């Protein structure tokens, strides 16, 4: 049974003159999208596509992009008139990078979503408006391959890929950007001239390719399509150019009851999870295909859960799952409820257990961090205090722990813009609610819990023996605010570590007029 994206992050799942190289897309006829203003029937639907209703833009107009040439024309028109551009893919940005009061032109990529084989570049061409659901279906049904992307199938690849991208198969196959061969992107030069560029890992514009291997969306231009081919693959055959998808997945759930969960029990439960993934974090581990997000909802939800899946073809997958279950409940009393979901076909199970889109988005505040190893007892107890705070009611608010690392950690930190290559897990703290009248209450709770977890490092995951900064696809403008970040580590070092100066140089070269910007955008050097 699918659960909502908001529900999984919040834990409600417990209830159930550059080189312009034409690619395959360039052969299509030029289609220039309409200028869609407030009086057009389409306008409201386009501006309300964002999934965080704390932010709703009111642009002068929107354009639906249907081709690279269309994107060039739209960008040129906006630059010529001096209007601020924002680009929408899937609509899942956690902050107001798209839905900002500053946005004057909204470029909607959602219809530019074809997934094809590009024989010229010997790579899969994926339109930047595609959702992960489209990508997974087309790649799997067409060629039996996949990419190690996220578990929210309605997320658009436009931002997900550029920010690094990860998901249930990343411990086995690495980050999405480890399979990024190139990007087709519309950039603007110092004279204000818009044009399209194809930048790949092995052409003259490798620096622009590198910037999109974790540099984040909305920084350098408008990506119109991604070219996907695993590093080291020749591209001679489509079926050998990306990772093979599993045939089947074995999955189960552990459900914990807050009524019987003591502080000591919570500490032991979370410590068990951290210890296991610290011990099984190598790329060749028999648990490399194990994905087990721990969804720690606020106690007002009544329960929290640990969701698990593993490649059913892994040697003795049933035994591995049983051993993992035993490790999770060791020393925990009473034991959680175990639900064996059984074995299911890969894509069917992925769809069934995916984070479904909600037609009625709510409001949210999200904060995150990378972990090199498990939190200290003090940090886990800070999580417990926040999740059991009786002065706060937030059944859809949670702390999500996500296993990471494995194959990800085999890539040098500077090989891609995604610098965190020595990690074991990610943490996402989310507050979710519906009414604007409750904004202050829920945002204050999220900030308080996050500050408690990182009290020893200035309120943020400042890099040290445990922390490795944060993930740009989970943007949090608080990290740039000295009221909440007292660590002395600037926000850009938290997201990009030592890679930020190189990203600045690329920004200055490819976006010298700083056309593409937002609250946490890369600043030209």
């Amino acid at each position: 049974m699918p659960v909502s994206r908001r529900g999984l992050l919040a834990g409600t799942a417990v209830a159930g003159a550059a080189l312009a190289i034409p690619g395959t897309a360039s052969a299509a006829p030029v289609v220039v999208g309409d200028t869609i203003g407030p009086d057009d029937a389409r306008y409201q639907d386009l501006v309300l596509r964002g999934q965080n209703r704390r932010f709703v833009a009111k642009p002068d107009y929107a354009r639906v992009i249907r081709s690279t040439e269309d994107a060039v024309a739209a960008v040129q028109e906006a630059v010529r008139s001096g209007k601020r551009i924002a680009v929408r893919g899937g609509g899942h940005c956690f902050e107001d990078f798209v839905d900002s009061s500053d946005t004057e032109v909204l470029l909607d990529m959602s219809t530019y979503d074809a997934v094809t084989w590009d024989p010229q570049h010997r790579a899969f061409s994926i339109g930047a408006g595609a959702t992960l659901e489209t990508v997974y279906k087309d790649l799997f049904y067409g060629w039996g391959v996949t990419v190690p992307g996220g578990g929210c199938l309605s997320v658009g690849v436009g931002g997900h890929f550029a920010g690094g991208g990860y998901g249930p198969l990343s411990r086995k196959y690495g980050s999405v950007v480890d399979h990024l061969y190139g990007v087709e992107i519309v950039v603007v030069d110092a004279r204000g001239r818009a044009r399209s560029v194809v930048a790949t890992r092995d052409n003259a514009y490798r620096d622009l390719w590198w910037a999109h291997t974790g540099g984040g969306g909305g920084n350098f231009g408008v990506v119109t399509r991604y070219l996907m081919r695993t590093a080291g693959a020749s591209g001679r055959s489509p079926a050998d150019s990306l990772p093979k998808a599993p045939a089947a997945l074995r999955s189960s759930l552990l459900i914990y009851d807050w009524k019987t969960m003591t502080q000591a029990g919570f500490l032991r439960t979370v410590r068990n999870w951290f210890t296991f993934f610290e011990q099984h974090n190598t790329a060749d581990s028999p648990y490399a295909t194990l994905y087990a997000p721990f969804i720690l909802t606020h106690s007002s939800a009544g329960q929290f859960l640990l969701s698990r899946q593993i490649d059913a073809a892994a040697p003795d997958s049933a035994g591995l799952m049983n051993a993992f279950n035993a490790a999770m409940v060791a020393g925990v009393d009473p034991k959680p409820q175990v639900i064996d979901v059984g074995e299911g076909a890969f894509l069917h199970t992925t769809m069934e257990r995916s984070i479904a889109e909600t037609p009625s988005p709510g409001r949210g505040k999200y904060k995150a961090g990378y972990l090199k190893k498990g939190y200290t007892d003090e940090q886990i107890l800070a999580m417990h205090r926040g999740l059991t705070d009786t002065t706060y009611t937030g059944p859809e608010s949670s702390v999500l722990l996500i296993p990471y690392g494995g194959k990800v950690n085999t890539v040098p930190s500077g090989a891609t813009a995604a610098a965190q290559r020595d990690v074991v897990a990610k943490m996402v703290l989310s507050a979710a609610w519906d009414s604007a009248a409750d904004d202050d209450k829920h945002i204050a709770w999220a900030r308080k819990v996050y500050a408690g977890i990182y009290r020893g490092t200035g309120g943020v995951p400042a890099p040290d023996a445990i922390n490795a900064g944060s993930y740009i696809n989970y943007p949090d403008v608080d990290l740039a605010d000295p009221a909440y970040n007292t660590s002395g580590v600037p926000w850009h070092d938290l997201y990009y570590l030592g890679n930020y100066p190189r990203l600045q140089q690329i920004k200055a070269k490819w976006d010298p007029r700083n056309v593409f910007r937002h609250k946490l955008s890369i600043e030209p050097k």
Side-chain angles (χ1 to χ4, degrees):
M1 177 178 65
V3 296
S4 70
R5 170 180 173 78
R6 179 181 173 192
L8 182 56
L9 287 180
T12 54
V14 295
L19 180 64
I21 306 176
T24 54
S26 300
V30 177
V31 180
V32 178
D34 299 335
T35 296
I36 302 171
D39 295 333
D40 192 300
R42 296 167 289 180
Y43 180 86
Q44 284 300 319
D45 277 293
L46 288 169
V47 301
L48 289 175
R49 282 191 55 233
Q51 289 295 300
N52 188 350
R53 288 298 166 80
R54 282 178 61 206
F55 315 112
V56 178
K58 296 180 180 179
D60 295 348
Y61 63 86
R63 291 274 294 268
V64 177
I65 304 302
R66 298 182 178 89
S67 68
T68 296
E69 295 86 352
D70 192 4
V72 172
V75 170
Q76 189 66 77
E77 177 186 59
V79 170
R80 188 179 295 119
S81 57
K83 293 185 180 295
R84 184 78 169 267
I85 301 169
V87 185
R88 170 112 68 211
H92 293 85
C93 185
F94 287 168
E95 293 285 3
D96 65 343
F97 296 172
V98 177
D99 288 305
S100 169
S101 59
D102 294 337
T103 297
E104 296 171 300
V105 175
L106 177 62
L107 305 185
D108 188 283
M109 306 296 297
S110 59
T111 63
Y112 193 31
D113 62 352
V115 178
T116 62
W117 174 253
D118 182 336
Q120 177 181 354
H121 294 101
R122 293 179 292 116
F124 287 97
S125 172
I126 300 177
T131 63
L132 291 175
E133 179 175 356
T134 297
V135 171
Y136 294 158
K137 284 182 176 178
D138 287 359
L139 289 178
F140 183 67
Y141 289 147
W143 297 275
V145 299
T146 192
V147 290
C152 176
L153 302 191
S154 59
V155 163
V157 303
H160 183 67
F161 283 11
Y166 79 98
L169 295 176
S170 287
R171 282 165 43 80
K172 176 67 173 179
Y173 294 125
S175 171
V176 171
V177 295
D178 298 334
H179 308 273
L180 177 65
Y181 174 70
V183 291
E184 185 166 31
I185 179 172
V186 178
V187 294
V188 178
D189 65 20
R191 294 179 293 169
R193 182 171 64 100
R195 78 273 194 203
S196 65
V197 173
V198 173
T200 73
R201 71 165 74 104
D202 54 15
N203 74 4
Y205 306 105
R206 188 178 186 277
D207 60 340
L208 190 57
W209 162 82
W210 183 88
H212 287 85
T213 62
N219 278 312
F220 305 96
V222 180
V223 175
T224 56
R225 64 187 181 118
Y226 290 95
L227 297 169
M228 306 301 295
R229 191 214 305 163
T230 301
S234 67
R236 291 190 180 92
S237 165
D240 295 326
S241 296
L242 285 175
K244 297 291 186 184
L249 297 172
R250 182 183 299 278
S251 55
S252 62
L253 300 170
L254 290 179
I255 299 180
Y256 299 78
D257 191 341
W258 270 119
K259 295 186 183 67
T260 60
M261 178 62 65
T262 65
Q263 182 187 77
F266 182 87
L267 178 62
R268 179 60 186 264
T269 295
V270 176
R271 177 62 62 210
N272 284 350
W273 189 90
F274 279 131
T275 298
F276 183 90
F277 284 105
E278 287 174 5
Q279 294 174 346
H280 300 89
N281 195 35
T282 59
D284 59 353
S285 166
Y287 287 98
T289 63
L290 175 67
Y291 184 64
F294 213 157
I295 310 159
L296 303 165
T297 43
H298 187 267
S299 57
S300 56
Q303 299 172 315
F304 61 93
L305 70 79
L306 176 59
S307 172
R308 295 145 311 149
Q309 68 179 49
I310 195 169
D311 185 347
D316 191 23
S317 63
L320 291 173
M321 190 70 86
N322 290 336
F324 176 70
N325 289 348
M328 290 304 97
V329 302
V332 177
D333 187 33
K335 306 296 185 188
Q337 178 186 3
V338 180
I339 300 177
D340 184 4
V341 180
E343 186 175 319
F346 165 69
L347 194 55
H348 174 79
T349 302
T350 298
M351 298 292 294
E352 188 177 50
R353 304 192 69 193
S354 71
I355 313 171
E357 191 65 274
T358 171
S360 302
R363 308 169 77 82
K365 176 62 180 176
Y366 306 88
K367 306 175 80 66
Y370 281 105
L371 291 87
K372 296 179 182 178
K373 63 180 182 178
Y375 284 139
T376 65
D377 287 358
E378 182 180 1
Q379 289 176 298
I380 296 173
L381 293 177
M383 289 168 47
H384 182 267
R385 286 192 296 272
L387 293 172
T388 58
D389 182 354
T390 57
T391 67
Y392 174 76
T393 300
E396 296 188 1
S397 299
S398 69
V399 174
L400 175 63
L401 300 176
I402 310 163
Y404 196 51
K407 182 71 170 181
V408 173
N409 292 350
T410 64
V411 177
S413 181
T416 63
Q420 287 84 356
R421 297 291 186 165
D422 58 351
V423 294
V424 66
K426 293 186 180 187
M427 183 279 292
V428 189
L429 189 156
S430 65
W433 66 98
D434 292 310
S435 172
D438 295 328
D439 282 5
D440 291 346
K441 176 180 73 173
H442 291 281
I443 294 172
W445 176 83
R447 286 170 171 165
K448 179 180 179 181
V449 178
Y450 193 75
I453 294 172
Y454 295 113
R455 183 175 62 179
T457 52
V460 299
D464 62 8
I466 294 176
N467 308 305
S470 193
Y471 178 44
I472 192 58
N473 279 356
Y474 298 154
D476 175 13
V477 295
D478 289 352
L479 299 190
D481 189 335
Y484 306 109
N485 178 1
T486 61
S487 69
V489 180
W491 67 266
H492 44 75
D493 285 353
L494 293 172
Y495 286 117
Y496 301 116
L497 304 182
N499 285 341
Y500 188 64
R502 184 177 176 186
L503 286 167
Q504 284 187 289
Q505 292 173 346
I506 298 169
K507 172 74 169 180
K509 175 181 176 180
W510 288 101
D511 185 22
R513 297 164 65 105
N514 201 22
V515 171
F516 305 100
R517 62 191 189 276
H518 49 71
K519 286 187 173 66
L520 294 178
S521 57
I522 294 166
E523 301 166 354
K525 187 142 184 168

